[in-house]
Amino acid sequence: MTSYNLTHLRELESEGIYIIREVAAQFENPVLMFSGGKDSICMLHLAIKAFYPAKVPFPLLHVDTGHNFPETIAFRDALMKKHDLNLIVGSVQDAINEGIATEETGVSASRIRLQIPALLKAIEDNKFDCALGGARRDEEKARAKERFFSHRDDFGQWDPKNQRPELWNLFNGRKKMGEHFRVFPLSNWTEMDVWQYILHENIDIPNLYFAHQREVVNRDGVLLYKSDVLPTIEGEESKVMSVRFRTIGDMTSTGATISDADTLEKIVEEVASTRMTERGGRADDKRSETSMEDRKKEGYF
């Protein structure tokens, strides 16, 4: 890796740490949203650096769909234990049981949108006034509209047309009772930046990101992991292939990509040459042109 790239990564790291420290300074009860994916892992890594040798001064929140990859949950729990972190779990299944979310049915059923009421309930129950997220502007066009400090009204909703200006490194965290902020320290990072940073820092990540043999089904051009929670289609055939996941989410909507990249170096090379977007394999993003923005307006990550 060239010295230029290292300088670039250090600038991004410094910016992320600065934003995380701003959150600690401006808000009374922040939380770090953690999915077990590479972006939230990098954000946690920055938070650990930001407050070292003290512990991260706020808890972590994972919204569990109940259909997460088992490897993700195992990795999450091991990481929490390693760094002695306080983890809060918001449950989609609990939201369904309590009647604040309705389970989808059919072969395209997903719990992605059901994370919204589970997340908003966790924020309200714990009275969080800020939630740090690992979203990046290069991921998706709706993400590109987001500021570092993103205001949410007292219903947890986002208005992309009414965002506060961010001049230089001045962030406005003022809010009314019941409102909160979403803050995105990795906004200026790209997928390549994340992978180069993971490689340079030697950060542990779930093995789902590395190429491995897995039974998948091709559904509308998306390779989905064949699991007990994936709705079945009669006559649909599965195949064992060498695949890896570029994003990690709900098993029913997170698509795999055919790959032999089984090391971090190979992943960096693969990302540098691919022409498919990172979220190109997400079935939930294919429901409409505005899927992500619609979810974000309702309170999604």
Side-chain angles (χ1 to χ4, degrees):
M1 192 177 298
T2 66
S3 59
Y4 168 79
N5 282 335
L6 291 180
T7 300
H8 176 58
L9 293 178
R10 287 304 172 217
E11 289 175 352
L12 290 172
E13 178 188 67
S14 178
E15 178 183 68
I17 288 174
Y18 172 77
I19 292 167
I20 291 170
R21 287 173 175 166
E22 275 293 296
V23 166
Q26 291 198 37
F27 297 97
E28 295 181 3
N29 189 26
V31 67
L32 188 151
M33 292 190 289
F34 186 82
S35 67
K38 65 185 184 307
D39 301 314
S40 60
I41 292 170
C42 279
M43 183 171 59
L44 175 59
H45 186 80
L46 294 180
I48 291 171
K49 280 195 169 189
F51 303 106
Y52 183 83
K55 287 176 54 177
V56 175
F58 34 78
L60 278 67
L61 171 62
H62 179 216
V63 179
D64 184 359
T65 67
H67 294 169
N68 293 102
F69 289 94
E71 295 97 324
T72 304
I73 301 300
F75 181 89
R76 178 201 72 185
D77 292 344
L79 195 63
M80 298 305 108
K81 184 177 180 180
K82 176 181 178 181
H83 296 290
D84 191 23
L85 299 167
N86 178 19
L87 176 68
I88 297 169
V89 177
S91 170
V92 167
Q93 186 60 56
D94 287 350
I96 294 170
N97 295 342
E98 294 169 16
I100 62 174
T102 303
E103 183 85 89
E104 293 184 4
T105 58
V107 296
S108 298
S110 168
R111 288 189 169 187
I112 295 297
R113 208 177 199 103
L114 306 191
Q115 293 178 91
I116 298 171
L119 170 62
L120 295 179
K121 184 177 187 300
I123 290 174
E124 182 179 2
D125 287 350
N126 292 279
K127 294 181 171 54
F128 294 129
D129 57 358
C130 177
L132 287 151
R136 309 186 323 271
R137 292 192 181 114
D138 78 317
E139 284 183 86
E140 203 270 346
K141 55 189 175 184
R143 300 261 199 230
K145 297 179 180 180
E146 200 92 63
R147 299 284 198 268
F148 278 110
F149 275 45
S150 183
H151 175 264
R152 296 299 194 270
D153 65 20
D154 51 359
F155 292 102
Q157 296 178 328
W158 173 60
D159 181 1
K161 296 180 180 179
N162 186 27
Q163 298 189 82
R164 299 172 181 180
E166 291 182 343
L167 306 175
W168 301 285
N169 287 327
L170 301 176
F171 303 112
N172 184 353
R174 293 181 181 177
K175 58 181 177 51
K176 297 177 182 177
M177 181 69 70
E179 298 175 343
H180 73 278
F181 274 78
R182 307 285 173 82
V183 174
F184 304 102
L186 305 186
S187 286
N188 286 337
W189 297 48
T190 65
E191 182 186 11
M192 177 61 82
D193 293 330
V194 170
W195 282 116
Q196 288 184 327
Y197 188 71
I198 289 172
L199 174 61
H200 183 257
E201 294 284 298
N202 194 28
I203 299 172
D204 288 334
I205 55 174
N207 62 12
L208 291 165
Y209 283 115
F210 298 103
H212 53 284
Q213 296 293 315
R214 191 174 288 264
E215 188 176 6
V216 296
V217 296
N218 189 330
R219 186 167 297 179
D220 297 325
V222 178
L223 296 177
L224 296 174
Y225 169 48
K226 183 174 175 57
S227 66
D228 293 339
V229 299
L230 181 69
T232 58
I233 297 178
E234 187 175 353
E236 185 176 61
E237 295 184 357
S238 62
K239 183 184 296 186
V240 176
M241 305 176 70
S242 176
V243 299
R244 74 177 193 87
F245 295 88
R246 290 175 69 185
T247 66
I248 293 180
D250 190 287
M251 287 189 290
T252 63
S253 60
T254 304
T257 182
I258 299 172
S259 174
D260 61 359
D262 55 2
T263 67
L264 287 174
E265 290 82 1
K266 289 182 180 180
I267 290 175
V268 169
E269 292 176 5
E270 183 179 272
V271 171
S273 62
T274 188
R275 300 185 66 179
M276 177 180 285
T277 62
E278 181 179 1
R279 296 185 65 91
R282 292 292 292 262
D284 48 303
D285 286 352
K286 297 180 182 294
R287 293 191 172 193
S288 77
E289 286 292 323
T290 59
S291 296
M292 173 64 81
E293 183 160 335
D294 292 341
R295 293 198 302 270
K296 285 177 69 62
K297 287 179 179 179
E298 296 172 10
Y300 192 67
F301 310 141

